[in-house]
Amino acid sequence: MQPPLLFAFPVSRATTDPKLPPFYPTFSLPLPLGFTNSLTLDLLCFCRSNRSVVFVSIGLLLQVIYSSAPSDKNYTRPYVVNIGALFTFNSTIGRVAKVAIDAAIDDVNNDSGVLRGTKLVVQVQDTSCNGFIGIAEALQFMERDIVAIIGPQSSVLAHVISHVANELKVPLLAFAATDPTLSSLEYPYFVRTTQSDLFQMAAIAELVDYYQWRQAIAIFIDDDYGRNGIDSLNDKLAERQCTISYKAAMRPGATKSDITGLLAKVASMESRIIVLHANPDSGVMVFSVAKFLGMMSQGYVWIATDWLSSFLDSTPYAEPSITDTMQGVLALRQHTPNSKRKSALLSKWKSFRLNSYALYAYDAVWTIAYALDSFFSSGGNVSFSNDPNLHDADGGNLHLEAMSVFNGGQFLLDQIHNVDFVGVTGPIHFDSQGYLIHPAYDILNIIGTGLRTVGYWSNYSGLSVSSPELLYMKPPNRSAANEELHTVIWPGETATKPRGWVFPNNGKELRIGVPNRVSYREFISEAPGSDVVKGYCVDVFVAAISLLPYPVLYKFIPFGDGRDNPNYTDLVAKVVSGELDAAIGDIAIVTNRTRIVDFTQPYIESGLVVLAPVKRLNSNAWAFLQPFTVRMWCITGLFLLVVGSVIWILEHRINDEFRGPPKKQLITIFWFSFSTLFFSHKENTVSTLGRAVLIIWLFVVLIIQSSYTANLTSLLTMQQLTSPIKGLDSLISSDEPIGFQVGSFTEYYLVEDLGISRSRLKAFNTPEEYAMALELGPNNGGVAAVVDERPYIKLFLSTHCKFAIVGSEFTKSGWGFVSISLMLFLATPP
């Protein structure tokens, strides 16, 4: 391929070449194969020295050139392809990006196997760290015939320029715009050649979860880059049941005074986990102010996004005054695997200290080079056309018609998405969503004046102390047990993991609902004429709170009118609605409540029991017969006769003690059987079968004797009570009325679970009403029994002796405290 021949010609649209007089518009024409550079220069000299001849003989020159040139029907590649680059020259990323882009251009043009004769030329534009100026310069920059743009560096500018790129069909290869929303379908011509902040925020969320923190504060620049990044962090934290407790936004270009006010408010918050998502200028200032305010001391955790590692990697010798403000900070850096190509590039340009963004800028140039090579090999052609939409929209002096549409833009975009090579940052290949494959980050700890790697994060294997390249060769394992990081030195020069929270200076009081009972006030109630809430449940709560390693402000809010016991289901509903933060008291843990709120561990066992009136059984002379029923006595006597008869049958033929007159033998049978009850029989058994029967019978006698002794002892030493109600089953089978306590879940359980008719139930408020109804009985307007929770019944029986619990406990539950989230208190600290 030969250099193009430049002609001076009065065309409507062209660029000005400094080698020609400024008043001559120019156009380029590729020379046919076979022409030499010397011929091109001769023609140019001829054109320059004979201006008047140029316009007359242009057709003749073209005819001479093309008629003399050898033909090549496969020619499709131009000699020069122009690309652009948009970034801020005087910035942490821009300074090294310019070096990397120039180095990549030289390496591409010196590699004959990439573009194969086509020269890649980059035209750069400074966006000046100013949104408006950057947009204006970018629009002016788009007037040039370029096929792709490396950049822009800013996510804010990328949102605007992407719309222009969509219209002009010019792909944008962004090496530093990390805003996750730029990957949306709204920007098809935006190609991110670096990692999205979506993955960086996933890494931070996994860090927070790894150290078992549950809340974090986000400090960020209030622009597209900052807001959208923090929104992604919030989503990733929510996936792990964590949250951002406070979002502290800084305006772009915030002053030290602005940051001081912002951090003073952050310091008053309860969370001590702070994520800083900013740019180097504002980020360094935040650390300086935080150091001054004492926020870099023990107990704080600072996690900085990759802006900090980029700043430190590109700073030759950071001043101790700067690094001193960052001691113990965790920072992320885009992971780029070690390779010979990377080492050679860094060694060649070591004086410029290239950071990870510079490496991605370098690979962005190679990406467009490989894509252009595929573009030309597939028959692509560099041509531009006017956009009628721009002509119609240009109603003023904006000269929008100066921008033209790249006709091969969509085809080139497809080739970019299909590139597959290994660059200095690792494999360059895009997945179906447009992300680079294998997103990974280094987890860094700032100690002294350097950075120490404490681990890695990758989307493939999570947190690990092994490099992602090693883990890619193994099956994926994202289990929490497999995650590991090296020891971190936290702010305050401690290796002990901070707990991540403190009691906030401006913390609000917890609104704790308490039932204002009118009965069984020993458990919980409001003292009459005061705001004091007391009782056993309050004592348990206060004791539990006192065990926490931090203070908790709370305020008891009585629930109930003071005339009737409150409905506990309504109390739980107020916690669900947010009117109360929590509720304590004698609140039963039942299924329908656990579906909507969280309970603490039960602090007392509880369950429903039946309370019924009982009568005392008086002892008499025949009390010794009471341990067994009549049926039991009859069976025992029958077995005595049967065993005696069997022994006689087996023994009387061979044993003289069982012989004699019939009367004597009959007496022997009865005496032998009765004496075995006391193991005092004198007759010996001779036969083997007789002895076997006797052994079995003596074992049965032992059991009968033990049971009798135990029952008789109980009868003689304990008061015996009886009741017509034997338990829950007899209560359900009867049609007699049943009492329950107002506000308890008992009514719901009896009706819905046991199927008892609501008409049989009577509600009572006080223990006195219990006693009166039970004494009256079902025939006199009272009840046959009362069903209530065991703690209430035990307290009732401590003062009433005419009643007792009959049957067994038929539900198993307990009392607990209620909150909409156990993170509120007791279970997990703020």
Side-chain angles (χ1 to χ4, degrees), residues 478-657:
R478 294 300 301 269
S479 65
N482 195 51
E483 294 185 334
E484 182 184 3
L485 292 176
H486 292 302
T487 301
V488 175
I489 304 301
W490 304 100
E493 298 182 357
T494 177
T496 303
K497 185 199 77 172
R499 64 185 181 183
W501 48 265
V502 295
F503 179 66
N505 296 331
N506 63 342
K508 67 175 183 178
E509 291 182 327
L510 293 179
R511 299 163 299 173
I512 308 296
V514 293
N516 186 16
R517 296 190 58 88
V518 296
S519 63
Y520 303 111
R521 299 172 64 86
E522 294 86 349
F523 289 113
I524 192 168
S525 66
E526 183 183 21
S530 70
D531 295 332
V532 178
V533 179
K534 58 183 182 180
Y536 172 76
C537 300
V538 175
D539 294 340
V540 172
F541 174 77
V542 172
I545 287 291
S546 65
L547 296 176
L548 296 177
Y550 59 94
V552 174
L553 292 177
Y554 58 87
K555 179 182 179 181
F556 289 137
I557 300 177
F559 176 73
D561 56 14
R563 296 187 300 272
D564 296 317
N565 287 331
N567 188 297
Y568 283 64
T569 301
D570 293 342
L571 175 60
V572 171
K574 284 189 173 293
V575 177
V576 176
S577 66
E579 295 182 47
L580 297 172
D581 296 314
I584 68 169
D586 47 345
I587 306 173
I589 304 174
V590 294
T591 303
N592 60 332
R593 294 174 184 171
T594 58
R595 293 192 182 104
I596 56 176
V597 293
D598 289 337
F599 279 90
T600 61
Q601 289 295 322
Y603 61 89
I604 189 173
E605 292 184 357
S606 177
L608 293 179
V609 293
V610 177
L611 176 69
V614 293
K615 295 180 180 180
R616 181 183 299 178
L617 292 176
N618 297 322
S619 299
N620 52 47
W622 297 98
F624 70 92
L625 296 176
Q626 292 179 3
F628 288 160
T629 62
V630 175
R631 182 179 180 184
M632 181 62 183
W633 282 118
C634 294
I635 292 175
T636 303
L638 179 61
F639 268 97
L640 285 172
L641 295 177
V642 171
V643 171
S645 301
V646 171
I647 294 297
W648 176 81
I649 292 172
L650 295 174
E651 294 289 332
H652 81 281
R653 292 183 180 180
I654 58 176
N655 192 342
D656 292 340
E657 294 183 2

Side-chain angles (χ1 to χ4, degrees), residues 84 142 146-151 165-166 168-174 188-191 368 406 408-414 416:
M142 299 293 284
I146 53 178
V147 299
I149 295 177
I150 306 297
N166 292 347
L168 302 182
K169 303 187 184 306
V170 176
L172 302 178
L173 283 75
Y189 281 85
F190 178 87
V191 180
I368 188 60
F406 175 32
Q410 181 61 53
F411 187 36
L412 178 59
L413 180 65
D414 295 338
I416 292 174

